[in-house]
């Protein structure tokens, strides 16, 4: 089992190593089902094994395989590449106190790793347990990093990489290429089974795609450096905000406009902005035309024509920046329901109780119906109660049997707040469920003992 809880099985007669993840899903980790030896340096799942009989995990998270009839011990590194770390492929006994890859093994079965990273092999037909001095390896928890688009001359948030060692890895340098930065807490000697943290950031100075690497130099057995590919894209533009949320709007109300500001030098296309998605969004103003050296703005209007959330939509900006086109997400919901007053403020209730009502109005042409009883949620919700219908009040006329509202018709919900015996300020939500769009309608309720 590795540190993440994945279990590895030597599926001997299927010539494979199987992996069962923490969700109980089984997959092939190594071996292609064919017998034989196809060399090292390639993906473990593409190569052949020969009756693999044992599997283990070292301090760096590498997977070790007792490759029985290949007379070798194999290692699959953090990138899924297979290597031979012991045995020359001949069956027999030759070589002690020599490099393990030059020694002979005879049907290696079980493999085990101690806390120092040393490997012990059940050399079955030699009637021996062989010890392999810890092969020094270093793995990264992240195999590659792709950053989001970043404005040039600014720095991204950090992406964390965890380095894990088998044996004692003498780390001599950790170096990012141009356009990337790193900060780490790695010691010069990372002992077997230990980890350290590297935070990598993207800080582009040029426009366009930036490809780089994080290179960790160390005294590795298989390689002298761990290389993690890095990628990001530098942009000369700053877009604010990166999404436009119009909230809930009445289908009968005056359209709501919001503005996106783009800062930075670029040349815009003849059609500098378009909308992909719902026709309920329209571009109503645009100063982003031709060559812009400082900033410009685009206005978007939301005019809901139906209840419910508008279809997924984006504002697309077209220009000669390498990140073209830039996308600004658009969200909005149409409703035919008004609820007043909102908020519903009870003020200070020093004793007893106090009742207030909200009025629900259908401003649309579709008949409004209520899909379930209202609820109260939030801090102190037990102190607020929606009262049942009463004709003498009147109170909660929305609860007078099965209520439907034609256009411009209204009904009420009456809520009672009861003194709780303290000096607490309460904020809760009254949730009204209906078919008028944006359900549940939320009414903020406030009260103080």
């Amino acid at each position: 089992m590795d540190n993440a809880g994945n279990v590895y099985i030597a599926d001997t007669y299927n010539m494979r190593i199987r992996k069962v993840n923490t969700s109980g899903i089984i997959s092939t980790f190594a071996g292609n089902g064919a017998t034989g030896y196809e060399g090292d340096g390639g993906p473990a799942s593409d190569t052949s094994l020969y009756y693999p009989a044992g599997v283990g995990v070292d301090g760096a998270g590498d997977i070790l395989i007792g490759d029985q009839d290949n007379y070798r011990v194999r290692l699959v590194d953090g990138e899924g590449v297979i290597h031979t770390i012991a045995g020359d492929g001949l069956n027999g006994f030759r070589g002690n106190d020599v490099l393990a890859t030059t020694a002979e093994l005879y049907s290696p079965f079980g493999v085990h790793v101690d806390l120092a990273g040393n490997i012990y092999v059940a050399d079955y037909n030699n009637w021996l347990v062989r010890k392999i001095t810890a092969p020094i390896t270093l793995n990264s928890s992240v195999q590659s990093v792709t950053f989001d688009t970043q404005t040039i001359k600014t720095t991204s948030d950090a992406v964390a990489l965890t380095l894990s060692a088998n044996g004692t890895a003498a780390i001599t340098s950790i170096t990012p290429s141009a356009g990337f930065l790193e900060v780490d807490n790695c010691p010069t000697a990372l002992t077997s089974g230990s980890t350290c943290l590297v935070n990598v950031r993207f800080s582009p100075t040029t426009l366009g795609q930036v490809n780089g690497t994080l290179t960790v130099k160390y005294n590795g057995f298989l390689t002298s450096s761990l290389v993690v590919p890095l990628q990001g894209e530098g942009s000369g533009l700053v877009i604010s905000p990166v999404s436009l949320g119009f909230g809930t709007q009445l289908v009968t109300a005056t359209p709501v406009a919001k503005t996106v500001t783009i800062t930075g030098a670029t040349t815009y296309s003849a059609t500098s902005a378009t909308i992909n998605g719902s026709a309920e969004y329209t571009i109503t103003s645009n100063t982003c035309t031709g060559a812009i050296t400082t900033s410009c703005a685009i206005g978007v209007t939301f005019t809901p024509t139906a209840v419910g959330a508008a279809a997924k939509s984006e504002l697309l900006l077209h220009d000669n920046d390498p990140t073209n086109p830039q996308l600004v997400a658009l969200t909005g919901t149409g409703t035919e329901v008004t609820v007043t007053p909102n908020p519903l403020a009870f003020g200070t209730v020093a004793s007893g109780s106090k009742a207030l009502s909200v009025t629900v109005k259908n401003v649309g042409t579709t008949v409004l119906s209520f899909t379930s009883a209202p609820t109260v949620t939030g801090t102190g919700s037990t102190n607020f109660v929606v009262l049942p219908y009463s004709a003498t009040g009147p109170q909660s006329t929305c609860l007078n049997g099965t209520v439907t509202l034609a256009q411009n018709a209204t009904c009420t919900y009456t809520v009672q707040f009861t003194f709780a015996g303290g000096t607490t300020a309460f904020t809760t939500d009254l949730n009204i469920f209906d078919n008028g769009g944006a359900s549940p309608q939320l009414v903020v309720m406030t009260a103080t003992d």
Side-chain angles (χ1 to χ4, degrees):
M1 181 186 299
D2 65 18
N3 288 334
N6 301 302
V7 175
Y8 298 85
I9 303 167
D11 193 357
T12 303
Y13 292 100
N14 277 320
M15 314 298 168
R16 292 176 169 94
I17 301 298
R18 311 298 293 277
K19 174 181 175 181
V20 181
N21 68 18
T22 54
S23 299
I25 305 301
I26 192 168
S27 60
T28 294
F29 178 79
N32 59 14
T35 59
Y37 175 74
E38 297 178 11
D40 295 301
S45 57
D46 291 347
T47 195
S48 59
L49 301 174
Y50 210 158
Y51 296 112
V55 63
V57 182
D58 72 13
D62 303 306
I63 305 303
L64 303 167
I65 302 169
D67 197 357
Q68 182 183 184
D69 280 7
N70 275 323
Y71 311 113
R72 291 175 168 91
V73 176
R74 318 291 289 277
L75 178 149
V76 182
D77 65 25
E79 296 181 356
V81 177
I82 194 166
H83 309 269
T84 293
I85 61 167
D88 63 1
L90 299 175
N91 61 331
F93 176 80
R94 178 175 59 83
N96 258 345
D97 300 318
V98 297
L99 186 65
T101 51
T102 66
E104 290 179 354
L105 301 173
Y106 203 158
S107 301
F109 268 47
V111 288
H112 176 75
V113 183
D114 68 17
L115 294 178
N118 301 305
I119 300 169
Y120 298 84
V121 183
D123 194 359
Y124 185 76
N125 282 326
N126 275 324
W127 307 95
L128 298 170
V129 173
R130 313 288 289 276
K131 176 183 176 182
I132 304 168
T133 303
I136 299 170
T137 60
L138 196 63
N139 285 327
S140 168
S141 60
V142 177
Q143 303 308 313
S144 65
V145 179
T146 299
F147 290 88
D148 292 334
T149 299
Q150 187 72 26
T151 304
I152 59 173
K153 300 179 182 178
T154 65
T155 301
S156 73
D157 292 335
V159 173
L161 287 70
T162 300
L163 303 185
S164 305
N166 188 73
T168 299
I171 299 174
T172 55
S173 64
I174 302 177
T175 308
S177 53
F180 300 92
L181 307 172
E182 75 86 21
V183 176
D184 66 81
N185 65 355
C186 296
T188 55
L190 187 64
T191 56
S192 191
S194 298
T195 63
C196 64
L197 187 67
V198 181
N199 282 334
V200 185
R201 291 177 169 85
F202 180 40
S203 186
T205 57
T206 58
L207 298 176
Q209 185 169 297
V210 180
N211 294 310
T213 57
L214 178 75
T215 302
V216 183
K217 294 284 189 181
Y218 74 108
N219 58 330
F221 171 71
L222 299 170
T223 178
S224 61
S225 59
L226 171 66
V227 179
V228 179
L230 308 175
Q231 186 179 93
E233 190 163 27
S235 171
L237 303 179
V238 177
I239 300 172
S240 180
V242 295
S243 63
L244 292 180
F246 291 87
T248 299
Q249 304 296 331
L250 286 170
V251 295
T252 58
T254 302
V256 175
K258 290 182 178 288
T259 301
V260 174
T261 300
I262 304 97
T263 303
T266 190
T267 299
Y268 289 91
S269 306
T271 302
S272 60
T274 57
I275 288 178
N276 177 43
S278 173
E280 295 174 305
Y281 300 102
T282 55
I283 297 171
T284 51
S285 63
N286 186 357
T287 62
C288 298
T289 58
I292 298 292
T293 58
T294 53
S295 65
C296 60
I298 298 172
V300 178
T301 295
F302 176 51
T303 310
T305 58
V307 299
K312 177 179 167 64
S313 303
E314 303 86 27
L315 170 68
L316 283 76
L317 310 178
H318 307 281
D319 48 60
N320 68 352
D321 189 85
T323 60
N324 172 71
Q326 298 85 33
L327 273 65
V328 178
L330 306 175
T331 58
T333 301
T335 184
E336 294 182 330
V337 181
T338 64
V339 184
T340 55
N342 192 359
L344 187 64
F346 288 84
T348 299
V349 181
S351 62
S353 61
K354 181 178 181 179
L356 294 175
S357 295
V358 294
T359 299
V360 181
K361 182 178 182 179
N362 178 18
V363 299
T365 58
T366 303
V367 174
L368 182 70
S369 60
F370 298 95
T371 55
S372 63
T375 61
V376 178
T377 56
T379 303
S381 60
T382 56
N383 298 105
F384 297 82
V385 176
V386 179
L387 297 177
Y389 166 71
S390 171
T392 59
Q395 67 185 30
S396 295
T397 57
C398 296
L399 295 175
N400 182 16
T402 301
V403 174
T404 58
L405 300 180
Q407 187 174 23
N408 295 322
T410 64
C411 66
T412 62
Y413 285 108
T414 304
V415 180
Q416 178 177 282
F417 172 75
T418 301
F419 173 68
T423 57
T424 304
F426 298 99
T427 300
T428 62
D429 290 328
L430 172 64
N431 306 276
I432 300 172
F433 303 91
D434 53 59
N435 66 338
S439 180
Q441 321 294 337
L442 297 181
V443 179
V444 177
M445 302 188 296
T446 60
T448 303
D449 280 345

